Amino acid sequence: MLCVRCRTTEAGPDSVRCELCDAAERLDGRTHLGGRRRVPVPGSAVLRSPVARGWATAGLFALVGLGWATAGLFALVGLTDLVSAGLDLWTAGFVDRVAGGDWAAQDDWADSESVTSWVTRFWALAYPGSIVVFLVWFRRTRVNAEVFDPYGHTMLRGWAIGGWFVPVVSLWFPRRIASETWYASVSPADRRGPLLLNLWWGTFLLDNAVSQTVSRALDRAEELDEIARAYRYVAYSELFSVVHAVIAVLFVLALTRRQDARAHQPWPPAAPGPLPEVPDAPAPEKV
């Protein structure tokens, strides 16, 4: 008996799924008995025939160009964070010089603040743009995942965007949707586990928490030594944001390639046609 999930591997002796699909269900906390409720997607086109290949299949969004655009914007934001980190460390050095009695450093400090303000304006344009493009990409990956696996989802597609903006649930809803999209997009060409997905989500949560903490520390700083220390903390948090941006780029490109491979290599494969009829061999003549 073939696995009811991937339709390519023999199911286990005590299961209707193969070992790989069973492991995926356990890792993601999903179960067919009393677990999360599946949300069926009626009318979705499941890729079961060699005719239904590529992004032209009904219900699929082409993601290669959009995925590269999303990754490029994330890389641009990461580069801006890297420049900002260097400027904040530069500013911290000027503050230390002023605290040590070198009042001539005030002019350099003012120049540093001017450059920082221009970088901040550029970041204020790049970051919201990356969010908008990412949300479009993220929702389209979810829609594609419904085509690949209509019964592999526990949440409605509207949460692919709404889950990011609802307080409290935004801490895990997007990750759940991304996980279900990741597993629904599995193909023979890409059976990687969710390590990259978990790194992306973990660094995202940590980056937001650290950024908010150091921003409050900079706002509360009053003495020169406190201001210098706060600027260094901000620089370190921006360096961590660069790390998160790199992981986000890798995650976006990995899921885009995963769905591209799934769209061009239908899985489960088409059922084999009927075997040709073989005429019976003539009975041997009696001697």
Side-chain angles (χ1 to χ4, degrees):
M1 170 184 172
L2 289 179
C3 171
V4 297
R5 190 65 184 273
C6 67
R7 302 282 184 180
T8 60
T9 310
E10 288 293 327
D14 300 321
S15 174
V16 294
R17 297 187 299 270
C18 64
E19 293 181 0
L20 286 175
C21 291
D22 267 335
E25 294 283 338
R26 289 194 298 270
L27 286 172
D28 201 35
R30 301 188 292 189
T31 174
H32 293 288
L33 301 175
R36 300 174 186 167
R37 181 177 63 87
R38 298 284 172 169
V39 180
V41 184
S44 296
V46 183
L47 304 184
R48 294 182 180 274
S49 169
V51 178
R53 284 189 176 181
W55 295 114
T57 302
L60 283 181
F61 285 106
L63 288 181
V64 176
L66 184 60
W68 277 102
T70 305
L73 286 172
F74 279 164
L76 188 61
V77 171
L79 181 61
T80 306
D81 285 330
L82 184 60
V83 174
S84 297
L87 290 172
D88 286 333
L89 291 174
W90 191 25
T91 302
F94 294 143
V95 177
D96 284 335
R97 288 170 56 188
V98 173
D102 185 3
W103 297 103
Q106 283 185 316
D107 295 334
D108 296 332
W109 186 359
D111 293 339
S112 174
E113 289 288 347
S114 177
V115 175
T116 301
S117 66
W118 281 105
V119 174
T120 302
R121 291 190 187 100
F122 181 79
W123 182 90
L125 293 175
Y127 186 67
S130 68
I131 292 177
V132 173
V133 175
F134 169 77
L135 288 177
V136 174
W137 172 85
F138 191 70
R139 183 183 183 278
R140 290 187 176 186
T141 60
R142 165 57 198 263
V143 174
N144 287 350
E146 292 175 359
V147 177
F148 299 147
D149 186 359
Y151 290 89
H153 308 279
T154 62
M155 307 179 68
L156 297 174
R157 67 170 62 169
W159 286 109
I161 293 180
W164 294 91
F165 301 100
V166 179
V168 182
V169 300
S170 61
L171 296 175
W172 74 87
F173 271 24
R175 193 268 172 196
R176 180 190 293 184
I177 292 173
S179 175
E180 293 172 351
T181 300
W182 182 270
Y183 284 116
S185 307
V186 67
S187 72
D190 190 346
R191 295 191 181 188
R192 286 176 295 177
L195 175 61
L196 187 58
L197 184 152
N198 292 332
L199 284 175
W200 163 69
W201 188 246
T203 54
F204 169 76
L205 295 178
L206 188 58
D207 181 38
N208 279 275
V210 171
S211 298
Q212 293 177 13
T213 301
V214 298
S215 296
R216 287 194 292 267
L218 182 60
D219 293 337
R220 291 195 301 264
E222 297 179 355
E223 301 295 332
L224 289 177
D225 59 337
E226 294 177 348
I227 295 175
R229 184 166 55 250
Y231 268 113
R232 288 190 174 89
Y233 289 157
V234 171
Y236 300 151
S237 72
E238 288 168 339
L239 290 176
F240 185 77
S241 296
V242 174
V243 175
H244 168 65
V246 171
I247 295 175
V249 168
L250 295 176
F251 168 70
V252 169
L253 294 179
L255 184 52
T256 300
R257 286 193 298 265
R258 194 177 177 94
Q259 291 209 341
D260 184 56
R262 179 68 171 84
H264 288 85
Q265 188 170 6
W267 198 37
L275 296 175
E277 295 184 2
V278 179
D280 295 335
E285 297 182 359
K286 295 183 179 180
V287 180

